[in-house]
């Protein structure tokens, strides 16, 4: 019997050991999942949301379709503050470029056309209405040529620019023949002329800056060549020119070369363009050309079309004296030489210069002790900073053939190539590995977004904004010929990544979301807000940011918020009083992750002078 007892005891101990091992395995598996998910780090709210059931399911009852006049799914939240519509006179209100406020500022150097935002006590706390008859813009590419009259009911340009083929009024639409002041025969033929000098077709030139863009026909037609243009023009007597551009589906902002630096990173653009843009390039010690030089990458091109180019032939048609035009061109040529731009072309009314690739190829400037260089630390410090008549220095190079700041791949290879700013370690805390991980993460996020909103890359959304763009991963992952993304880098962001975004062949801009964006109402189809409200916590009023989002979002446009769940719950309560329909969605890694997604659709409603219209 003794041997039998020992065998039984051995089996019992073996069973206990197996049970202990299995138990420990399960414990550490659960512990690992707990740590990975962030559970225990303020995630009790996330668990509560998860337990609530369908709220975090994939969105099934939120409509992303356009209905023009059908208000979908009006919810009732008695606890939410209800925001009232603004007076219909504010239909096209641009808070920081308000015409009445502008006239109180000096006209010298276009100061009055720059950003002048309202003080806190003058801010509107109501929702900007759409005009009566507003409809969803036509899909691209039809939108390039047609804009519904009701969306921007301004006919002045059809008369003022009639012979220049800018815009024509036909029935209930505006038609854009593709003409311009300097290309009445059409932008395509004009671009062909530029392409005989500039490598537009092979991806070398991907990003362009169009100063004084009019209705942005150059940018509209560059798109078919896979070139994306950042167009800007002031809000002035040419009423609604930037609004027309955005209604056409062309990237544009309200802006002017005045006294403040442009809100772009240094070396952002492959090409800059001025077609009779009325900017006094040779004045003020060439300060405006020096600002263009700051944002033009080494090897980039600058095109000047119109006066004073070839003044000897054209002075009579321009109604100016030979002496005046000769002096203007002489000043431009002198500044261009100081900047070490090489003139590549001059014919008819077009001149093209190319910026040299590094300072080694600019010996004459090195030998000129009178050249005033900007501080390296100031070249990307631009928000509300005064322009200076100094020259932006090139980054250092190790050989005469090296491109200062790093050579860029042709597009689309450029989109996922490592930006030179990252490869060189110029952005603290961002390595090549960090960049690649960020790209992979955003591919995963965008894949999840497309499951939530199946219309995301169908052409339903043309004008897209990323309010906190980071390294541009969202824009890269969603890249599509049917859409474009305005990548915004907040001025309070921990890392300045705008230069790296530009080196990916994407467009972007600096902005502080405590202020209104430089655009007209209803100019974006989709807004992406990744941790914007965590970033701006205690910085300014959340309601003001949401009302600004409402102002720039089209009726039936969509918003994707990505943030901590406790933040999103607050946002959902506020926007429920703004005529937005919302749904909370789990993070793609599961319900225990505290970061969630809140998707929203702005309902269709328009101005009514007697009462709020819900059609």
């Amino acid at each position: 019997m003794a041997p039998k007892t020992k065998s039984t005891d051995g089996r019992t101990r073996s069973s206990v050991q197996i049970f202990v091992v299995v138990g420990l395995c399960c414990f550490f598996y659960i512990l690992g999942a707990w740590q990975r998910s962030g559970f225990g780090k303020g995630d009790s709210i996330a668990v509560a949301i998860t337990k609530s059931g369908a709220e975090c399911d994939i969105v099934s009852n939120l409509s992303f379709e356009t209905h023009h006049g059908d208000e979908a799914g009006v919810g009732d939240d008695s606890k939410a503050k209800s925001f009232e519509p603004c007076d219909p006179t504010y239909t096209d209100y641009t808070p920081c470029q308000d015409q009445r406020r502008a006239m109180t500022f000096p006209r010298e150097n276009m100061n009055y056309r720059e950003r002048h935002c309202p003080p806190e006590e003058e801010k509107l706390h109501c929702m900007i209405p759409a005009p009566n008859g507003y409809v969803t813009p036509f899909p691209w590419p039809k939108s390039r040529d047609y804009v519904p009259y009701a969306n921007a009911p301004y006919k002045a340009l059809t008369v003022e620019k009639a012979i220049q083929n800018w815009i024509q009024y036909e029935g209930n639409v505006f038609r854009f023949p593709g003409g311009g002041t300097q290309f009445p025969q059409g932008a395509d033929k004009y671009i062909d002329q530029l392409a005989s000098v500039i490598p537009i077709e092979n991806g070398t030139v991907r990003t362009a800056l169009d100063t004084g863009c009019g209705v942005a026909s150059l940018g509209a037609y560059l798109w078919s060549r896979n070139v994306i243009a950042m167009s800007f023009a002031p809000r002035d007597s040419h009423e609604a020119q930037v609004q027309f551009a955005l209604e056409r589906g062309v990237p544009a902002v309200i802006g002017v070369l005045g006294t403040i630096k442009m809100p772009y990173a240094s070396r952002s653009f492959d090409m800059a363009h001025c077609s009779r843009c009325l900017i006094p390039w040779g004045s003020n010690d060439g300060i405006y050309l020096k600002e263009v030089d700051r944002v033009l990458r080494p090897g980039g091109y600058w095109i000047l079309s119109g006066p004073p180019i070839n003044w000897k032939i054209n002075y009579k048609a321009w109604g100016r004296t030979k002496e005046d035009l000769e002096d203007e061109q002489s000043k431009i040529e002198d500044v261009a030489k100081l900047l070490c731009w090489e003139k590549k072309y001059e014919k008819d009314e077009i001149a093209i210069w190319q910026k040299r690739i590094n300072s080694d190829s600019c010996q004459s400037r090195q030998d000129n002790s009178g050249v005033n260089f900007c501080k390296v630390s100031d070249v990307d410090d631009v928000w509300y900073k005064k322009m200076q008549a100094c020259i932006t220095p090139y980054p250092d190079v190790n050989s005469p053939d090296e491109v200062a700041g790093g050579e860029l791949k042709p597009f689309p290879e450029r989109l996922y190539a490592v930006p030179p700013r990252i490869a060189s370690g110029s952005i603290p805390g961002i390595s090549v590995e960090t960049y690649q991980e960020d790209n992979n993460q955003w591919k995963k996020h965008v894949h999840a977004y497309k499951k939530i909103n199946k219309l995301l890359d169908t052409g339903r959304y043309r004008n897209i904004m990323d309010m906190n763009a980071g390294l541009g991963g969202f824009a890269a992952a969603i890249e599509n010929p049917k859409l474009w993304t305005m990548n915004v880098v907040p001025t309070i962001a921990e890392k300045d990544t705008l230069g790296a975004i530009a080196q990916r062949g994407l467009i972007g801009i600096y902005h502080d979301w405590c202020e209104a964006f430089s655009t007209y109402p209803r100019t974006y189809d989709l807004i992406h807000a990744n941790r914007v409200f965590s970033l701006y916590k205690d910085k300014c009023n959340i309601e003001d940011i949401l009302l600004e989002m409402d102002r720039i979002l089209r009726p039936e446009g969509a918003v994707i918020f990505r943030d901590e769940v406790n933040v999103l719950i607050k946002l959902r309560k506020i926007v429920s009083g703004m005529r937005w329909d919302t749904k909370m969605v789990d993070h793609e890694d599961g319900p225990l992750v505290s970061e969630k997604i809140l998707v929203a659709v702005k309902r269709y409603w328009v101005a009514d002078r007697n009462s709020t219209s819900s059609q």
Side-chain angles (χ1 to χ4, degrees):
M1 295 296 292
K4 189 173 182 179
T5 301
K6 287 180 182 178
S7 177
T8 302
D9 292 341
R11 283 196 300 272
T12 302
R13 283 195 300 272
S14 178
S15 298
V16 170
Q17 289 171 347
I18 291 171
F19 177 82
V20 170
V21 170
V22 170
L24 287 171
C25 288
C26 291
F27 170 77
F28 284 114
Y29 176 84
I30 293 170
L31 178 63
W34 176 73
Q35 290 176 332
R36 182 171 181 271
S37 69
F39 185 84
K41 302 174 184 176
D43 201 44
S44 58
I45 302 176
V47 174
I49 291 294
T50 302
K51 288 180 178 178
S52 68
E55 277 293 309
C56 284
D57 291 343
I58 295 299
V59 177
S60 59
N61 62 338
L62 189 60
S63 174
F64 297 100
E65 297 282 1
T66 61
H67 306 285
H68 298 286
D70 295 330
E71 187 170 359
V74 178
D76 179 27
D77 189 341
S78 57
K79 295 182 180 180
K81 173 182 176 181
S82 179
F83 293 88
E84 297 299 320
C86 302
D87 187 274
T89 57
Y90 287 97
T91 294
D92 289 323
Y93 181 57
T94 53
C96 296
Q97 288 89 8
D98 179 58
Q99 297 285 61
R100 291 164 295 183
R101 187 178 299 106
M103 300 311 292
T104 67
F105 288 88
R107 295 195 173 211
E108 185 180 4
N109 297 324
M110 296 295 285
N111 175 267
Y112 75 122
R113 295 298 185 194
E114 295 184 303
R115 286 176 59 86
H116 298 292
C117 299
E120 192 64 37
E121 62 273 14
E122 293 182 19
K123 287 183 177 179
L124 298 182
H125 297 285
C126 51
M127 299 181 298
I128 302 295
N132 272 298
Y134 179 88
V135 295
T136 302
F138 297 113
W140 186 268
K142 184 177 180 180
S143 66
R144 185 192 71 178
D145 302 327
Y146 296 97
V147 166
Y149 171 75
N151 291 12
Y154 303 105
K155 296 181 181 179
L157 285 176
T158 65
V159 178
E160 184 179 347
K161 301 294 182 180
I163 63 171
Q164 296 169 6
N165 244 0
W166 275 34
I167 178 173
Q168 298 170 0
Y169 177 60
E170 299 179 354
N172 62 350
V173 299
F174 289 111
R175 186 171 74 86
F176 297 83
T181 306
Q182 288 301 120
F183 39 93
Q185 302 305 311
D188 257 339
K189 289 184 178 180
Y190 179 77
I191 293 169
D192 286 341
Q193 190 173 357
L194 302 182
S196 68
V197 182
I198 301 171
I200 288 175
E201 307 289 350
N202 64 4
T204 300
V205 170
R206 162 62 180 175
T207 56
L209 179 69
D210 191 11
T211 57
C213 64
V215 294
S217 286
L218 180 76
Y221 282 82
L222 279 172
W223 184 266
S224 63
R225 319 275 179 126
N226 212 15
V227 176
I228 184 168
M230 172 74 82
S231 301
F232 73 81
R235 181 165 187 174
D236 58 12
S237 58
H238 293 168
E239 184 65 53
Q241 52 186 335
V242 167
Q243 188 176 23
F244 280 131
L246 287 155
E247 285 292 320
R248 298 175 72 186
V250 182
V253 293
I254 303 172
V256 66
L257 273 173
T259 66
I260 303 298
K261 292 180 181 179
M262 292 187 287
Y264 313 118
S266 59
R267 310 191 305 278
S268 285
F269 300 99
D270 302 314
M271 181 174 85
H273 174 264
C274 161
S275 171
R276 202 177 288 212
C277 60
L278 304 180
I279 295 171
W281 296 112
S283 301
N284 298 328
D285 199 21
I287 195 168
Y288 302 127
L289 271 180
K290 290 172 182 176
E291 177 64 359
V292 169
D293 180 72
R294 182 184 69 82
V295 301
L296 193 63
R297 72 167 175 83
Y301 298 85
W302 183 59
I303 303 112
L304 177 59
S305 176
I309 301 305
N310 248 328
W311 58 268
K312 293 179 182 179
I313 298 173
N314 300 308
Y315 74 95
K316 289 183 179 179
W318 294 334
R320 293 172 61 184
T321 66
K322 291 182 179 181
E323 293 75 18
D324 179 35
L325 289 161
E326 182 180 17
D327 180 64
E328 183 179 348
Q329 180 150 356
S330 177
K331 287 179 178 178
I332 291 172
E333 300 280 6
D334 288 345
V335 178
K337 287 177 183 176
L338 190 64
L339 295 172
C340 275
W341 293 1
E342 180 184 3
K343 184 181 278 188
K344 309 293 287 188
Y345 179 90
E346 184 171 353
K347 185 179 180 182
D348 299 326
E349 296 181 19
I350 299 174
I352 300 174
W353 285 263
Q354 184 176 20
K355 182 176 178 176
R356 296 186 187 273
I357 62 171
N358 58 45
S359 59
D360 287 358
S361 57
C362 191
Q363 193 62 44
S364 61
R365 190 167 78 183
Q366 290 179 336
D367 296 339
N368 187 346
S369 60
V371 174
N372 178 28
F373 287 101
C374 310
K375 293 179 181 179
V376 174
S377 59
D378 290 345
V379 297
D380 290 331
D381 184 16
V382 303
W383 189 245
Y384 286 122
K385 296 299 173 66
K386 292 284 187 180
M387 281 188 210
Q388 297 176 335
C390 56
I391 297 174
T392 302
Y394 283 96
D396 294 334
V397 295
N398 297 314
S399 71
D401 298 327
E402 184 181 348
V403 178
E407 188 169 6
L408 302 180
K409 302 284 187 182
F411 197 85
E413 185 182 354
R414 189 185 302 184
L415 187 62
Y416 279 105
V418 178
R421 290 189 187 231
I422 292 176
S424 64
S426 299
I427 306 175
I430 302 295
S431 64
V432 173
E433 292 74 21
T434 304
Y435 169 72
Q436 292 170 340
E437 289 171 5
D438 185 76
N439 284 332
N440 290 335
Q441 190 70 25
W442 279 108
K443 288 177 182 177
K444 182 178 176 182
H445 290 336
V446 170
H447 180 72
Y449 292 163
K450 290 179 180 179
K451 287 184 176 180
I452 297 168
N453 183 348
K454 298 185 184 301
L455 302 178
L456 206 57
D457 57 358
T458 64
R460 165 69 181 86
Y461 306 108
R462 168 70 179 172
N463 303 359
I464 296 178
M465 173 181 282
D466 191 356
M467 295 177 67
N468 184 19
L471 295 172
F474 168 77
I478 206 171
E479 171 69 17
N480 186 304
K482 297 176 182 178
L483 56 84
W484 57 269
T485 303
M486 181 68 75
N487 293 280
V488 180
V489 173
T491 56
I492 66 169
E494 181 183 353
K495 295 179 174 64
D496 181 0
T497 55
L498 189 57
I501 290 171
Q503 289 180 333
R504 302 186 71 167
L506 302 169
I507 57 169
I509 193 169
Y510 293 111
H511 184 65
D512 181 0
W513 286 112
C514 290
E515 299 180 359
F517 193 72
S518 293
T519 191
Y520 282 81
R522 303 171 302 281
T523 47
Y524 286 89
D525 305 299
L526 175 72
I527 299 176
H528 181 245
N530 174 44
R531 293 189 170 267
V532 170
F533 292 89
S534 287
L535 178 66
Y536 276 91
K537 183 181 179 182
D538 302 325
K539 299 293 190 302
C540 50
N541 191 332
I542 287 179
E543 288 184 2
D544 287 346
I545 300 177
L546 289 169
L547 284 169
E548 175 61 6
M549 293 173 69
D550 183 77
R551 183 184 76 88
I552 68 178
L553 184 66
R554 299 193 195 282
E556 300 177 317
V559 179
I560 301 173
F561 297 95
R562 177 180 286 272
D563 219 313
E564 293 298 309
V565 66
N566 57 326
V567 174
L568 296 183
I569 289 173
K570 293 177 182 177
L571 297 180
R572 183 172 62 174
K573 180 178 179 181
I574 296 171
V575 302
S576 67
M578 292 170 51
R579 308 187 191 192
W580 290 15
D581 296 312
T582 62
K583 277 289 182 179
M584 194 87 78
V585 182
D586 277 328
H587 189 284
E588 55 267 22
D589 286 341
L592 293 181
V593 181
S594 60
E595 183 180 84
K596 303 285 182 187
I597 300 163
L598 180 68
V599 290
V601 174
K602 177 180 175 178
R603 300 177 206 150
Y604 179 91
W605 63 278
V606 299
D608 190 318
R609 292 191 178 274
N610 299 313
S611 62
T612 302
S613 175
S614 300
Q615 299 177 3

XYZ file of all heavy atoms in Angstrom, residues 424-463:
331
model
N 18.107 64.242 -40.510
C 19.238 64.993 -39.950
C 19.105 65.232 -38.455
O 20.003 65.816 -37.834
C 19.357 66.348 -40.664
O 18.209 67.156 -40.412
N 17.989 64.824 -37.871
C 17.775 65.027 -36.442
C 17.425 66.460 -36.078
O 17.613 66.883 -34.931
N 16.881 67.194 -37.032
C 16.577 68.620 -36.785
C 15.352 68.832 -35.903
O 15.153 69.933 -35.383
C 16.361 69.340 -38.122
O 17.511 69.282 -38.926
N 14.511 67.812 -35.769
C 13.324 67.927 -34.913
C 13.580 67.105 -33.650
O 13.570 65.873 -33.698
C 12.058 67.422 -35.628
C 11.881 68.123 -36.982
C 10.830 67.655 -34.754
C 10.716 67.597 -37.796
N 13.848 67.745 -32.525
C 14.167 67.008 -31.290
C 13.092 65.986 -30.938
O 11.899 66.286 -30.984
C 14.246 68.122 -30.237
C 14.553 69.368 -31.008
C 13.851 69.206 -32.329
N 13.542 64.787 -30.631
C 12.612 63.748 -30.208
C 11.981 62.961 -31.335
O 11.218 62.025 -31.080
N 12.281 63.325 -32.593
C 11.718 62.598 -33.733
C 12.863 61.931 -34.493
O 13.718 62.600 -35.075
C 10.948 63.537 -34.690
C 9.817 64.258 -33.950
C 10.391 62.746 -35.870
C 8.718 63.358 -33.446
N 12.864 60.605 -34.478
C 13.882 59.827 -35.184
C 13.263 59.201 -36.427
O 12.043 59.274 -36.643
C 14.426 58.727 -34.276
O 13.389 57.797 -33.956
N 14.083 58.577 -37.233
C 13.583 57.862 -38.411
C 12.601 56.784 -37.977
O 11.552 56.583 -38.591
C 14.756 57.257 -39.209
C 14.231 56.365 -40.328
C 15.640 58.366 -39.771
N 12.946 56.083 -36.890
C 12.078 55.011 -36.395
C 10.742 55.581 -35.915
O 9.676 55.008 -36.183
C 12.771 54.249 -35.242
C 13.972 53.432 -35.650
C 15.206 54.282 -35.964
O 15.265 55.458 -35.483
O 16.093 53.790 -36.684
N 10.796 56.721 -35.215
C 9.563 57.374 -34.746
C 8.671 57.741 -35.922
O 7.449 57.539 -35.892
C 9.902 58.656 -33.960
O 10.785 58.335 -32.890
C 8.639 59.295 -33.394
N 9.285 58.276 -36.956
C 8.550 58.679 -38.160
C 7.875 57.484 -38.811
O 6.692 57.539 -39.180
C 9.527 59.354 -39.125
C 9.002 59.598 -40.512
C 8.049 60.593 -40.751
C 9.464 58.842 -41.593
C 7.575 60.823 -42.037
C 8.992 59.074 -42.881
C 8.051 60.056 -43.095
O 7.589 60.283 -44.372
N 8.600 56.386 -38.952
C 8.036 55.200 -39.596
C 6.926 54.581 -38.752
O 5.901 54.136 -39.285
C 9.161 54.194 -39.865
C 10.128 54.689 -40.934
C 11.387 53.848 -41.062
O 11.757 53.106 -40.123
N 12.066 53.949 -42.188
N 7.103 54.590 -37.449
C 6.046 54.083 -36.557
C 4.798 54.959 -36.658
O 3.671 54.452 -36.656
C 6.551 54.056 -35.109
C 7.594 52.971 -34.838
C 8.228 53.128 -33.460
O 7.788 54.021 -32.701
O 9.170 52.368 -33.161
N 5.005 56.259 -36.751
C 3.875 57.184 -36.874
C 3.103 56.925 -38.164
O 1.865 56.915 -38.166
C 4.398 58.624 -36.846
C 3.281 59.652 -36.842
O 2.656 59.839 -35.779
O 3.023 60.264 -37.901
N 3.821 56.684 -39.248
C 3.163 56.374 -40.516
C 2.319 55.112 -40.409
O 1.174 55.062 -40.883
C 4.204 56.201 -41.629
C 4.763 57.522 -42.118
O 4.093 58.552 -42.043
N 5.981 57.506 -42.612
N 2.878 54.091 -39.811
C 2.152 52.820 -39.666
C 0.903 53.014 -38.798
O -0.160 52.441 -39.078
C 3.058 51.758 -39.062
C 4.159 51.321 -40.021
O 4.008 51.428 -41.244
N 5.271 50.851 -39.489
N 1.059 53.802 -37.743
C -0.066 54.046 -36.847
C -1.194 54.763 -37.579
O -2.375 54.412 -37.427
C 0.400 54.881 -35.654
C -0.602 55.007 -34.533
C -0.815 53.699 -33.777
O 0.064 52.837 -33.769
N -1.977 53.523 -33.187
N -0.856 55.751 -38.414
C -1.899 56.493 -39.111
C -2.539 55.704 -40.237
O -3.721 55.888 -40.543
C -1.373 57.852 -39.590
C -1.394 58.828 -38.458
C -0.340 59.328 -37.762
C -2.570 59.345 -37.818
N -0.771 60.129 -36.740
C -2.143 60.170 -36.757
C -3.937 59.201 -38.051
C -3.036 60.836 -35.924
C -4.829 59.864 -37.221
C -4.386 60.666 -36.180
N -1.797 54.815 -40.835
C -2.415 53.914 -41.809
C -3.487 53.068 -41.121
O -4.575 52.843 -41.670
C -1.352 53.020 -42.448
C -0.434 53.732 -43.425
C 0.634 52.781 -43.962
C 1.586 53.488 -44.909
N 2.680 52.595 -45.377
N -3.161 52.633 -39.920
C -4.107 51.833 -39.136
C -5.326 52.669 -38.734
O -6.476 52.216 -38.850
C -3.375 51.304 -37.890
C -4.196 50.414 -36.978
C -3.310 49.956 -35.828
C -4.081 49.134 -34.823
N -3.217 48.730 -33.683
N -5.077 53.890 -38.272
C -6.187 54.770 -37.880
C -7.108 55.061 -39.070
O -8.336 55.006 -38.953
C -5.645 56.095 -37.332
C -4.971 56.003 -36.008
N -5.215 54.998 -35.088
C -4.037 56.820 -35.411
C -4.491 55.185 -34.005
N -3.765 56.288 -34.178
N -6.518 55.420 -40.216
C -7.322 55.773 -41.385
C -8.094 54.569 -41.896
O -9.243 54.699 -42.348
C -6.435 56.392 -42.487
C -7.199 56.528 -43.795
C -5.920 57.760 -42.032
N -7.510 53.392 -41.811
C -8.230 52.168 -42.183
C -9.483 52.017 -41.310
O -10.563 51.667 -41.814
C -7.310 50.960 -42.016
C -7.956 49.657 -42.370
N -8.247 49.294 -43.675
C -8.393 48.619 -41.594
C -8.812 48.097 -43.692
N -8.924 47.670 -42.444
N -9.335 52.325 -40.020
C -10.493 52.256 -39.112
C -11.509 53.338 -39.459
O -12.719 53.091 -39.425
C -10.025 52.401 -37.666
N -11.040 54.543 -39.808
C -11.955 55.617 -40.184
C -12.799 55.219 -41.394
O -13.987 55.548 -41.478
C -11.178 56.890 -40.534
C -10.467 57.570 -39.385
C -9.469 58.509 -39.627
C -10.791 57.299 -38.057
C -8.809 59.156 -38.593
C -10.144 57.928 -37.016
C -9.143 58.860 -37.286
O -8.498 59.499 -36.260
N -12.170 54.536 -42.344
C -12.887 54.156 -43.565
C -13.952 53.100 -43.277
O -14.925 52.987 -44.018
C -11.898 53.653 -44.620
C -11.024 54.762 -45.191
C -10.023 54.247 -46.212
C -9.169 55.368 -46.764
N -8.157 54.901 -47.738
N -13.777 52.349 -42.213
C -14.830 51.419 -41.802
C -15.989 52.177 -41.160
O -17.158 51.802 -41.322
C -14.268 50.399 -40.798
C -13.350 49.354 -41.418
C -12.939 48.335 -40.369
C -12.096 47.226 -40.972
N -11.685 46.228 -39.939
N -15.668 53.245 -40.446
C -16.700 54.059 -39.804
C -17.486 54.858 -40.839
O -18.710 54.917 -40.815
C -16.059 55.017 -38.779
C -15.378 54.232 -37.657
C -17.094 55.985 -38.199
C -14.489 55.091 -36.772
N -16.742 55.491 -41.746
C -17.350 56.343 -42.775
C -16.889 55.838 -44.136
O -15.792 56.150 -44.595
C -16.934 57.799 -42.563
C -17.586 58.748 -43.548
O -18.187 58.329 -44.540
N -17.482 60.039 -43.284
N -17.733 55.068 -44.780
C -17.355 54.419 -46.031
C -17.271 55.387 -47.213
O -16.854 55.014 -48.305
C -18.340 53.281 -46.346
C -18.338 52.185 -45.287
C -19.215 51.019 -45.683
C -19.291 49.976 -44.569
N -17.976 49.435 -44.218
N -17.654 56.646 -46.989
C -17.582 57.651 -48.058
C -16.276 58.441 -48.023
O -16.078 59.356 -48.813
C -18.756 58.630 -47.932
C -20.159 58.024 -47.985
C -21.199 59.130 -47.788
C -20.398 57.312 -49.300
N -15.366 58.058 -47.121
C -14.199 58.876 -46.844
C -13.337 59.148 -48.069
O -12.845 60.255 -48.252
C -13.357 58.220 -45.747
C -12.480 59.149 -44.918
C -13.288 60.237 -44.253
C -11.714 58.351 -43.862
N -13.121 58.160 -48.906
C -12.241 58.363 -50.066
C -12.971 58.159 -51.395
O -12.395 57.746 -52.386
C -11.012 57.455 -49.986
C -11.370 55.983 -49.894
O -12.577 55.676 -49.848
O -10.451 55.150 -49.874
N -14.266 58.469 -51.392
C -15.072 58.298 -52.610
C -15.197 59.587 -53.415
O -15.777 59.582 -54.503
C -16.494 57.835 -52.236
O -17.132 58.864 -51.465
C -16.461 56.532 -51.440
N -14.680 60.700 -52.876
C -14.885 61.994 -53.502
C -15.950 62.817 -52.797
O -16.162 63.977 -53.134
N -16.640 62.209 -51.841
C -17.650 62.938 -51.053
C -17.014 64.105 -50.301
O -17.623 65.156 -50.132
C -18.327 61.965 -50.081
C -19.144 62.597 -48.958
C -20.403 63.263 -49.463
N -21.137 63.879 -48.375
C -20.913 65.106 -47.901
N -19.960 65.843 -48.424
N -21.628 65.591 -46.912
N -15.763 63.904 -49.835
C -15.047 64.948 -49.109
C -13.837 65.369 -49.940
O -12.938 64.570 -50.191
C -14.592 64.439 -47.747
C -15.721 63.866 -46.925
C -15.837 62.491 -46.713
C -16.688 64.695 -46.372
C -16.875 61.970 -45.969
C -17.739 64.178 -45.633
C -17.835 62.810 -45.432
O -18.864 62.294 -44.706
N -13.828 66.615 -50.375
C -12.738 67.143 -51.195
C -11.761 67.966 -50.351
O -10.566 67.710 -50.353
C -13.330 68.001 -52.316
C -12.328 68.859 -53.083
C -11.396 68.045 -53.947
N -10.468 68.906 -54.679
C -9.441 68.452 -55.390
N -9.212 67.175 -55.482
N -8.651 69.292 -56.022
N -12.287 68.966 -49.645
C -11.463 69.859 -48.825
C -11.402 69.302 -47.406
O -12.417 69.297 -46.698
C -12.050 71.273 -48.793
C -12.223 71.885 -50.173
O -11.899 71.271 -51.177
N -12.733 73.098 -50.208
